[in-house]
Amino acid sequence: MYSVEDLQKIVSEAVALRSKQLLDKTPIELYKPIHYSLEMGGKRLRPVLVLLGYNLFDKEVQKAVPAALGIEVFHNFTLLHDDIMDKADVRRNRPTVHIKFSENHAILSGDAMAFEAYKYFLESGSPRLPEAMKLFTDTAIEVCEGQQFDMDFEKRLDVKEEEYLNMIRLKTAVLLACSLKSGAILANSPEKAADQLYEFGINLGLAFQLQDDLLDTFGDQETFGKKIGGDILSNKKTLLLINALEHADPEQHASLMEWIKKDDFNPEEKIGAVTEIYRQIGVKELAEQKVDAYFNRAIEILDEMELEDVVKQPLRGFALNMLTRKN
């Protein structure tokens, strides 16, 4: 079995090599933003999950590296377009691609990344590649569905918790689940085990996104890699805001609505005021309970898998380290 550190090294080296090769292609203005995006780093969670899923059933993880690259390039493509839609200026403590280059560059280079992702995935030699490709394609569409729901929510103040959880399942969790399951499929795993890994990934992804929401409001910018309070400034319908509107007393509700409707405000003042209301209502604790519930369910699913504990240990450790509050 490979350790998580071994797999992270394999992924980092593969991404660095492919990223460097992009600078030899023309037109260079198309590929420079892609190179910049991949060189920004990140946790490489999804490609490592591909290799972890593969390594549960096969030792030759190098065979799954092309699929891992495909997943990582696709994920970074979604970030390029998300940052444009969210008007985000910072990603991983560096200017976002559309700020560094331009919106047009980010859109076109992002389009190219989507197709590059498929090209990398097709390099996998498994006889079950069509099955893995179908899963990847279905997942890519689901991610777009999740993004559309997220955009739709911007115009609404009546978003329910169930709707929000479905949106983050599509926008975030399905790609984590796909990463694990596609690795398992390429390693010719039993169908039941691949399905269990998918459900593990869904629950881990939900916990991960809810934790990300918490960090956006209550985290530290240097370690988080993005400006704190961005969700508050954009009135993003996170679980924090949804629960705040639902559980606020009349005075708190009126204050929240006033901040939501304001077009002219001091950003730091708004972040501070809304965060204080969140603290008063206790939405941070409510969200943490959800994080714990989804994370614990993921571990239960892993425990139910008919594999030796020593084989499952790298994935268990990786899941623990994924959640900042679990470190």
Side-chain angles (χ1 to χ4, degrees):
M1 292 296 297
Y2 283 83
S3 69
V4 171
E5 291 74 20
D6 291 336
L7 298 179
Q8 287 172 328
K9 183 179 179 182
I10 290 171
V11 166
S12 295
E13 290 176 351
V15 171
L17 177 61
R18 295 297 180 110
S19 178
K20 185 179 179 181
Q21 290 172 346
L22 291 171
L23 295 179
D24 295 328
K25 301 181 73 170
T26 56
I28 188 61
E29 295 303 324
L30 175 67
Y31 293 104
K32 278 169 64 177
I34 303 176
H35 171 79
Y36 177 78
S37 172
L38 294 175
E39 287 292 297
M40 287 172 78
K43 299 171 185 173
R44 312 295 191 203
L45 301 176
R46 293 151 192 84
V48 171
L49 283 171
V50 175
L51 300 189
L52 280 168
Y54 190 95
N55 199 211
L56 288 171
F57 307 99
D58 194 312
K59 296 178 181 178
E60 298 182 60
V61 296
Q62 288 290 344
K63 292 181 179 179
V65 169
L69 281 168
I71 292 281
E72 179 67 0
V73 171
F74 175 80
H75 171 61
N76 278 271
F77 142 66
T78 66
L79 297 183
L80 259 67
H81 287 189
D82 283 0
D83 285 341
I84 295 171
M85 296 179 203
D86 294 342
K87 298 179 173 58
D89 295 339
V90 177
R91 166 77 61 180
R92 296 164 185 159
N93 287 319
R94 296 175 67 182
T96 49
V97 172
H98 68 277
I99 295 295
K100 173 74 174 177
F101 299 92
S102 73
E103 283 195 9
N104 286 343
H105 279 96
I107 292 169
L108 187 59
S109 295
D111 291 344
M113 289 175 81
F115 294 109
E116 284 283 330
Y118 274 90
K119 188 169 72 174
Y120 290 148
F121 220 105
L122 286 167
E123 293 177 15
S124 303
S126 169
R128 292 175 66 183
L129 178 60
E131 183 181 347
M133 286 298 301
K134 182 181 186 306
L135 172 64
F136 179 49
T137 302
D138 290 343
T139 300
I141 294 170
E142 287 180 316
V143 170
C144 294
E145 291 173 350
Q147 179 65 15
Q148 183 62 56
F149 280 130
D150 197 16
M151 292 165 59
D152 292 345
F153 291 170
E154 292 175 8
K155 308 167 190 173
R156 293 173 52 193
L157 287 172
D158 61 345
V159 179
K160 303 300 182 186
E161 181 175 309
E162 296 77 15
E163 293 179 285
Y164 178 73
L165 292 173
N166 180 56
M167 183 274 287
I168 63 172
R169 180 185 68 82
L170 292 167
K171 187 174 175 180
T172 299
V174 294
L175 188 56
L176 293 169
C178 169
S179 299
L180 273 170
K181 185 174 181 178
S182 61
I185 289 171
L186 293 171
N188 200 29
S189 72
E191 183 177 350
K192 178 183 176 181
D195 289 341
Q196 286 175 309
L197 283 174
Y198 188 86
E199 289 306 313
F200 169 89
I202 289 292
N203 282 275
L204 184 62
L206 289 168
F208 177 71
Q209 183 57 54
L210 291 172
Q211 178 67 29
D212 196 68
D213 293 347
L214 279 163
L215 289 172
D216 190 274
T217 296
F218 297 103
D220 175 78
Q221 180 172 326
E222 188 165 334
T223 55
F224 187 42
K226 294 190 289 186
K227 287 183 179 179
I228 298 300
D231 289 347
I232 290 175
L233 294 179
S234 63
N235 300 321
K236 201 171 187 67
K237 307 310 185 299
T238 65
L239 193 65
L240 297 174
L241 179 55
I242 292 168
N243 277 330
L245 289 169
E246 182 178 343
H247 297 287
D249 62 31
E251 183 179 347
Q252 292 165 336
H253 194 278
S255 182
L256 273 174
M257 291 303 298
E258 183 180 352
W259 281 112
I260 288 171
K261 292 177 179 178
K262 272 187 178 181
D263 293 324
D264 185 20
F265 54 81
N266 178 290
E268 295 307 316
E269 184 182 358
K270 179 174 180 177
I271 291 169
V274 174
T275 301
E276 179 55 31
I277 296 171
Y278 285 176
R279 292 188 193 280
Q280 292 171 7
I281 297 172
V283 295
K284 180 174 184 280
E285 291 73 22
L286 290 173
E288 287 174 343
Q289 290 170 16
K290 282 285 184 183
V291 172
D292 289 339
Y294 284 118
F295 179 81
N296 291 337
R297 178 56 190 145
I299 296 302
E300 286 176 5
I301 294 168
L302 187 61
D303 288 340
E304 292 165 5
M305 292 188 67
E306 296 174 358
L307 294 169
E308 293 181 10
D309 286 343
V310 67
V311 174
K312 295 185 284 188
Q313 188 53 42
L315 182 54
R316 184 190 304 274
F318 186 81
L320 284 165
N321 287 325
M322 263 189 70
L323 300 182
T324 303
R325 200 158 55 85
K326 298 288 181 183
N327 286 347

